[in-house]
Amino acid sequence: MTAPARPALQPLQGGQLVLGTMALSLAVFMNVLDSSIANVSIPAISGDMGVSPQQGTWVITSFAVANAISVPLTGWLTMRIGQVKLFVTSILLFVMASFLCGMAPSIEMLIAARVLQGAVAGPMIPLSQALLLSSYPPAKSGMALAFWGMTTLVAPIMGPLLGGWISDNYTWPWIFYINIPIGIFTAWATWSIYHKRETAIRKLPIDKVGLVLLVLWVGCLQLMLDKGKELDWFNSGEIILLGAVAVVSFIYFIIWELGDDHPVVDLSLFKGRNFSGGVIAISVAYGLFFGSLVILPLWLQTQIAYTATEAGKVMAPVGIFAILLSPLVGKLLPKIDARWVATGAFLIFSLVFYMRAQFTPDVDTMTLMIPTIIQGAAMAMFFIPLTAIILSGQPPDKIPAAAGLSNFVRIMFGGIGTSVTSTLWDSRTALHHAQLAEHTSAQAPAFAQAVQGLTAQGLTEQGAYAVIERTMSVQASTMAATDIFWISSILFLALIGLVWMTKPSRSALPADAGGAH
């Protein structure tokens, strides 16, 4: 049964537009923040719950798996429930799940609450995009995406900083309790402004087979990525089983969804050149960016003797240019081809990673911060035009599905980037360490001279060996990190080709796509 056609929505004006933008952006900020805020609090949570840090990481994994499964369901759920109802319900359930996380008396209860939190968080990001685009006139849709982009860029950086500060100064449940006032405000503001702008509802049959296959392959893949490094990848029977189930389920999922009349995920979107090219470009770039976001602070803390707070401060300046330039990019986007802006972003990303590839173990803080500051400009020029390319030409009723599917692929690539980067870092560190160790025999003059110099300073021979071993470990780890930065720099240049495979997109969305006329 299909609801009668609704009249075209008018853009919001004045105070309603400001409040609506703020509410939608805050909801996204809260959501993205929660995916990273718990990372630095795992030691505190594990200690309080009386479990090992390895068991504590399930607090992160459970959220990521549930979130990854629910994001691509956004388009289908929107058709059955309506954009506004689904968005507000997601926020209220997210608030409830956050309260349950903070109150959890055991690790099992905390993981169950995190599964609920991740599942209800899924539709929030794509729906915020769709609602925001319907609030602005088509000519200003670039500005709408800029406001949205700022929150998704700043939240992953703010998460570890805020999580660490709360864990150090209060208790870990407060990393979840802070969602409650924000969530209640955003739910109230969103409902009061948007409830009269509800989308038409269609009672579609439930694609049960597609849903089961989706849960199977996404769940297995996410678990494999999260636990692979810990279980030594394909040397573990568990990882082999997860990988096999993920691959088989994925193949059956593709075949089933392409043949079903009412698929749970609309894969036909990939027939569009702009959608497929834009999604691959934004996802691979996000995976590379997210990988560096993981290894850079780890390298600083484990090898260069930075504290967690100092490492956070080195990463924080990335938000400066991201916040300052996002509105400017949004304003310029309707006047220029989005592909040129995305090309500029990838060139800057490539330069940033080239600069990081020059890092040495005695690198100073200013040298570390300069590429991080420059990266902020790339981030402002990266999310907004590529999102514009992905959503360009989509009819209003397809935007939630397109936003949901593109965000899902991007989130999955973020997980893949993290796993691949950390595994590559470990293997390259071992390789470089082995190569350096070849020069530590008694016949090597430089090694003998180093031992002699250290013993002359009062160290025992064993003490001298320990100092040299530590120096080699730091050097090997640094060389491995710079290898990854080199590879990332080259891959960002290669992604420019993908951008230019899409059709020209002079404005964020054509007049018929934003839902605002």
Side-chain angles (χ1 to χ4, degrees), residues 419-431:
S419 296
V420 170
T421 304
S422 55
T423 303
L424 190 60
W425 188 35
D426 281 355
S427 63
R428 297 294 297 175
T429 298
L431 174 72

Side-chain angles (χ1 to χ4, degrees), residues 94-259:
F94 190 85
V95 168
M96 188 182 82
S98 299
F99 176 73
L100 292 174
C101 286
M103 294 293 287
S106 65
I107 192 72
E108 291 80 12
M109 288 296 290
L110 178 57
I111 289 168
R114 283 286 278 176
V115 168
L116 174 63
Q117 196 185 34
V120 300
M124 284 164 64
I125 292 178
L127 283 180
S128 67
Q129 275 182 315
L131 287 168
L132 205 57
L133 287 168
S134 74
S135 308
Y136 284 74
K140 294 204 173 164
S141 53
M143 188 59 74
L145 288 171
F147 286 128
W148 183 89
M150 277 195 289
T151 54
T152 55
L153 295 172
V154 176
I157 297 138
M158 283 288 293
L161 281 172
L162 193 59
W165 183 80
I166 289 170
S167 294
D168 289 344
N169 295 282
Y170 296 94
T171 53
W172 65 262
W174 283 98
I175 66 175
F176 300 113
Y177 291 152
I178 58 167
N179 293 331
I180 296 170
I182 299 170
I184 291 169
F185 166 75
T186 53
W188 165 80
T190 306
W191 183 253
S192 61
I193 292 168
Y194 290 96
H195 74 278
K196 291 178 183 171
R197 301 166 68 86
E198 186 58 277
T199 53
I201 296 167
R202 292 166 63 200
K203 295 289 182 189
L204 298 172
I206 297 170
D207 175 16
K208 291 174 189 168
V209 176
L211 189 56
V212 169
L213 289 169
L214 176 75
V215 170
L216 259 178
W217 83 261
V218 173
C220 288
L221 179 61
Q222 194 74 39
L223 284 171
M224 188 181 92
L225 293 172
D226 282 357
K227 294 291 164 190
K229 190 179 164 192
E230 186 187 313
L231 298 173
D232 195 20
W233 289 104
F234 293 104
N235 292 319
S236 156
E238 196 178 320
I239 293 297
I240 291 169
L241 179 64
L242 285 169
V245 174
V247 169
V248 173
S249 305
F250 177 70
I251 292 166
Y252 275 102
F253 173 77
I254 298 287
I255 295 165
W256 180 267
E257 293 299 277
L258 289 173

Side-chain angles (χ1 to χ4, degrees), residues 31 45 53-54 105 153 189 197 219 223 238 243 271 306 353 358 375 403 429 457 466 477 511:
N31 183 322
I45 293 170
Q54 280 74 27
L153 295 172
R197 301 166 68 86
L223 284 171
E238 196 178 320
K271 290 178 184 172
Y306 273 59
F353 281 92
Q358 317 303 315
Q375 184 173 286
T429 298
Q457 291 173 31
S477 179

